[in-house]
Amino acid sequence: MSDQLQQADGISPKPWQEFFTDLARALRFYSRLPVPVLPWEADPHTLPDFGRIIRVLPLAGLVLGILPALAFAAALGLGLGPWLAAILSVAAATVTTGAFHEDGLADTADSFGGSTRERRLAIMKDSLIGSFGACALVLDLALRIAALATLAERVELSAAMGAILLTAALSRVAGLVPLVFLPPARPDGAAQAVGRLGRESFWLAAALAAGFALLLGLAAGLPAAGIAAMVLAAALAGIALAGLAKRHIQGQTGDIAGAAQQVAEIAALIGLLIALRP
């Protein structure tokens, strides 16, 4: 048992306590939500053990999709229209995560403009945003907003909210693909601290995410073909980002994982829209 999961009195936590500890740490890492310290946590603000929290990541993703889904529903309920509802939903998602993934996308886009591997890694580490990063952010926000606005015009509100929740879960699992299948690109980055994730744990998380997508998607009123398209598109996006990372920097970083999550989110929504085409 990990020392980080020991209770203050030295008694090993129960399985349900371990589950909620992993969920709390996943939410703290991936968001700015005020997750309370659990009574049995010895060191709640330490870097989470990704080998453990990967199993709860699909559920954490669903939780992170709640505020964007509620913002979307509230805006439509107030008669603000699909476009303003989509903007408010994306704004809620960005505030929830503190633009965590968007920052990774911008850094990744800037780095791919470098001429050598070393130069690309240096650009990625730079906190400044260049022209590639700025364009990537604009396109990212535009595509997500447009996809949600179009979705609102094609499905019932419950189905749209379900799609937002499922996209949040699927995209975060897809964002792990580079971390699982590529080595860290540099010895001093966050990806090195995380380490290379186990493939068995990843496949378990992927299966759970797909299962959530099927069950919750059908319950929300999404067609099976649309759910399948979301799962496939998110997976392909994660694979594509891993391929780009391998080609450009021969490895992965935390920024690559963030970029993979954003691209997977867009891909999942577009995949669903293709399946729902009029």
Side-chain angles (χ1 to χ4, degrees), residues 125-160:
K125 199 171 184 179
D126 191 342
S127 60
L128 299 177
I129 296 180
S131 56
F132 281 119
C135 289
L137 285 177
V138 170
L139 291 172
D140 172 72
L141 295 173
L143 286 168
R144 290 160 66 194
I145 290 168
L148 289 179
T150 305
L151 184 64
E153 297 171 349
R154 296 189 184 181
V155 297
E156 298 294 329
L157 176 58
S158 61

Side-chain angles (χ1 to χ4, degrees), residues 158-207:
S158 61
M161 293 179 68
I164 293 172
L165 292 172
L166 297 182
T167 299
L170 292 171
S171 63
R172 281 168 178 82
V173 175
L176 295 177
V177 172
L179 301 181
V180 173
F181 295 97
L182 295 176
R186 51 177 174 246
D188 59 345
Q192 177 65 35
V194 169
R196 197 162 181 174
L197 302 181
R199 297 190 180 185
E200 290 185 4
S201 297
F202 169 76
W203 290 122
L204 173 61

Side-chain angles (χ1 to χ4, degrees), residues 51-143:
R52 293 183 57 85
I53 70 168
I54 189 174
R55 62 182 181 174
V56 300
L57 191 55
L59 180 57
L62 289 176
V63 173
L64 296 178
I66 291 175
L67 287 179
L70 290 177
F72 188 77
L76 289 178
L78 292 172
L80 299 181
W83 282 92
L84 189 50
I87 292 172
L88 290 173
S89 177
V90 171
T94 304
V95 171
T96 298
T97 63
F100 182 55
H101 306 294
E102 289 85 351
D103 178 70
L105 175 66
D107 288 341
T108 297
D110 277 334
S111 74
F112 286 169
S115 57
T116 65
R117 177 181 182 272
E118 291 70 24
R119 179 58 182 157
R120 290 164 187 153
L121 287 172
I123 293 172
M124 190 177 292
K125 199 171 184 179
D126 191 342
S127 60
L128 299 177
I129 296 180
S131 56
F132 281 119
C135 289
L137 285 177
V138 170
L139 291 172
D140 172 72
L141 295 173
L143 286 168

Side-chain angles (χ1 to χ4, degrees), residues 228-249:
M230 293 178 72
V231 174
L232 179 61
L236 291 176
I239 294 170
L241 259 293
L244 281 174
K246 182 177 181 180
R247 176 183 175 186
H248 283 79
I249 58 174

